[in-house]
Amino acid sequence: MSTLAFEKWEGLGNDFVVVEVSSEQAVSPEQARLLCDRHRGIGADGVLLVIGGGTPRMVVLNADGSRPEMCGNGLRCVAAFLAERGGAEGLSMMIGTDAGDKACVIERRGPGLYDVTVDMGRATMGPRLEVEAEGKRHGFTTVDVGNPHAITFEPYAEAEVDRLGPKVATAPAGGINVEFCRVLDEGARTRIAVTVWERGVGRTLACGTGACAVAAAACEEGRAARAAPIEVVLPGGALEITVDEARGLQMKGPARRVFRGTWESSFDLGEGRTTPASWAGESTP
Ligand SMILES: N[C@H](CCC[C@H](N)C(=O)O)C(=O)O
């Protein structure tokens, strides 16, 4: 019987199964769907594969098994996971992703609790996205921050988010993450409330790349000033995003280890559903 050692991490309630593996093929899309299943598996919004080496790498698998380019909350969790393995208090490191290498600075706040600042790179504004739904045309600003995002500052009720979110998320080829935004106030610090429908997941409590995309769109549309920190308020908590002409996007937020575990691969789920015969050559060290 082979087993898979994992850690459960979360960033503002966006939660992940973190596994250290030697190859990207160690967890298949089907295995990722099972691990993320909140009734038959561990339960998570995604799986983060950590591949060691000169520059450690993060590969992301969404709960539906798809592989996105990047995950902001996940990258903070992987940076903290690696810092914890190294036993260091304050630490900075580069981590490779499918959207390029990202610089991370980790500050330990307590056992399994960290604040992480990530240089997220630059946002690229895309074409307007128009989606026909429920007899109306809905317009979105598109922003790429390594992965794609559709953003609106039009007021939508919660129920509309659940109806419109999946329609927009699957409208363009390859899918897109969807953020419904509201500027809370433009006092000393701009605060933007965001509800997220994520590609390959659905509703999540937070989206790090989404928060960056929203801050970039807000600056582009004159709803927020560049260089000053923008507080993006998500259902799971707030992220501090800075849109800097020279340095690009910076994201600061928490990462927390929830628990460690071991997945047994001979585990029969009943109803003829069994876990994958074995993990691709991965077993606990
Ligand atoms: N569902 C996203 C990936 C996870 C992004 C999100 N969890 C974050 O923190 O950035 C996508 O398909 O692009």
Side-chain angles (χ1 to χ4, degrees):
M1 172 187 353
S2 70
T3 58
L4 187 78
F6 69 86
E7 294 193 6
K8 186 77 191 302
W9 282 76
E10 56 91 6
L12 299 181
N14 191 201
D15 61 340
F16 307 97
V17 176
V18 180
V19 283
E20 200 161 16
V21 294
S22 53
S23 82
E24 301 176 8
Q25 283 68 40
V27 176
S28 69
E30 184 224 3
Q31 290 167 338
R33 284 191 291 273
L34 182 53
L35 291 173
C36 292
D37 187 315
R38 295 192 185 280
H39 300 285
R40 294 188 174 93
I42 299 163
D45 290 332
V47 177
L48 305 174
L49 306 182
V50 182
I51 301 159
T55 300
R57 275 195 314 126
M58 171 185 78
V59 170
V60 188
L61 296 172
N62 281 319
D64 71 350
S66 61
R67 177 168 165 174
E69 305 81 353
M70 178 51 191
C71 176
N73 289 324
L75 188 59
R76 296 201 314 276
C77 292
V78 166
F81 169 85
L82 289 167
E84 200 161 77
R85 302 296 287 267
E89 292 286 317
L91 196 64
S92 59
M93 65 176 75
M94 290 303 284
I95 299 178
T97 75
D98 287 351
D101 290 0
K102 308 290 179 188
C104 304
V105 176
I106 302 101
E107 300 162 76
R108 186 173 184 276
R109 285 281 172 267
L113 185 59
Y114 298 82
D115 275 341
V116 184
T117 302
V118 182
D119 283 344
M120 293 286 283
R122 294 191 171 286
T124 305
M125 306 308 291
R128 190 113 178 103
L129 173 66
E130 301 282 340
V131 176
E132 282 286 338
E134 301 180 351
K136 284 197 304 186
R137 285 178 75 76
H138 304 267
F140 293 81
T141 299
T142 63
V143 183
D144 189 290
V145 289
N147 61 348
H149 295 267
I151 290 156
T152 180
F153 286 90
E154 294 301 313
Y156 282 92
E158 281 297 296
E160 290 182 285
V161 169
D162 288 325
R163 291 199 310 269
L164 194 54
K167 292 188 177 74
V168 179
T170 50
I176 195 165
N177 300 284
V178 192
E179 283 84 20
F180 299 85
C181 309
R182 185 164 45 91
V183 178
L184 294 176
D185 57 43
E186 300 189 23
R189 168 177 281 204
T190 302
R191 299 174 69 241
I192 304 173
V194 178
T195 303
V196 187
W197 186 277
E198 276 197 40
R199 173 180 66 170
V201 190
R203 273 284 192 112
T204 60
L205 291 178
C207 179
T209 50
C212 291
V214 164
C219 291
E220 193 71 19
E221 296 175 3
R223 301 173 195 272
R226 285 180 170 77
I230 296 167
E231 190 175 345
V232 177
V233 183
L234 298 133
L239 287 172
E240 182 184 287
I241 311 293
T242 305
V243 183
D244 185 291
E245 280 301 328
R247 297 187 52 189
L249 285 158
Q250 246 198 9
M251 168 188 66
K252 181 174 182 180
R256 172 176 160 263
R257 176 171 38 78
V258 188
F259 60 87
R260 294 188 176 100
T262 303
W263 179 280
E264 311 291 341
S265 67
S266 63
F267 188 69
D268 182 346
L269 297 171
E271 295 171 21
R273 284 171 53 101
T274 58
T275 54
S278 71
W279 305 98
E282 303 297 328
S283 61
T284 40

